[in-house]
Amino acid sequence: MIAKSGGKLITTSEEYGGQVLDPSINRPVLVFFSAPWCGPCRLSNPVVKDVMKQFMDDINVVEVCTDDLPDVASDAGVMSIPTIQIYFKGQLLDTIVGCVARNVLASSVDKILEDYVSSP
């Protein structure tokens, strides 16, 4: 199922583990934690969608509704929404809390691609 951010909507904790935390995933995974009632989350949807399009060949994008999966959000250390986390090979590499500008999010993704994916 596609979420409002354009990413794949994660609906179970098992799916989160397989799509985000699995160390065999060879692409960074951008996780967008949000909720339908959250105004700043709605403002962040187009930003996440734009960055997903920009890096479509390089990253996976998933969305977690904190109302539906509060335990997943809690285990990930999410204290407020929107929160964006970027994982690579099951390891958390970056966290951005609150609304974020497209260029800031794109720079974060670009840095992870340079530092972790492009390195020999």
Side-chain angles (χ1 to χ4, degrees), residues 11-113:
T11 57
T12 67
S13 57
E14 294 79 15
E15 187 178 18
Y16 178 81
Q19 298 279 327
V20 177
L21 302 177
D22 184 343
S24 69
I25 299 171
N26 287 324
R27 289 165 56 118
V29 181
L30 185 152
V31 183
F32 179 47
F33 291 92
S34 68
W37 51 264
C38 170
C41 298
R42 289 194 297 272
L43 292 173
S44 297
N45 279 332
V47 172
V48 172
K49 193 177 284 190
D50 285 350
V51 169
M52 181 181 75
K53 287 178 185 173
Q54 180 180 347
F55 294 100
M56 67 171 31
D57 294 331
D58 301 311
I59 66 170
N60 297 336
V61 177
V62 299
E63 186 172 330
V64 175
C65 176
T66 57
D67 287 350
D68 296 339
L69 297 174
D71 291 343
V72 168
S74 177
D75 290 347
V78 174
M79 302 296 281
S80 63
I81 52 174
T83 292
I84 295 170
Q85 294 183 334
I86 304 173
Y87 290 79
F88 183 59
K89 296 195 176 201
Q91 297 297 312
L92 176 61
L93 299 180
D94 198 4
T95 300
I96 301 168
V97 179
C99 284
V100 62
R102 190 190 89 47
N103 64 323
V104 173
L105 182 55
S107 292
S108 179
V109 171
D110 208 29
K111 180 167 177 25
I112 287 170
L113 289 170

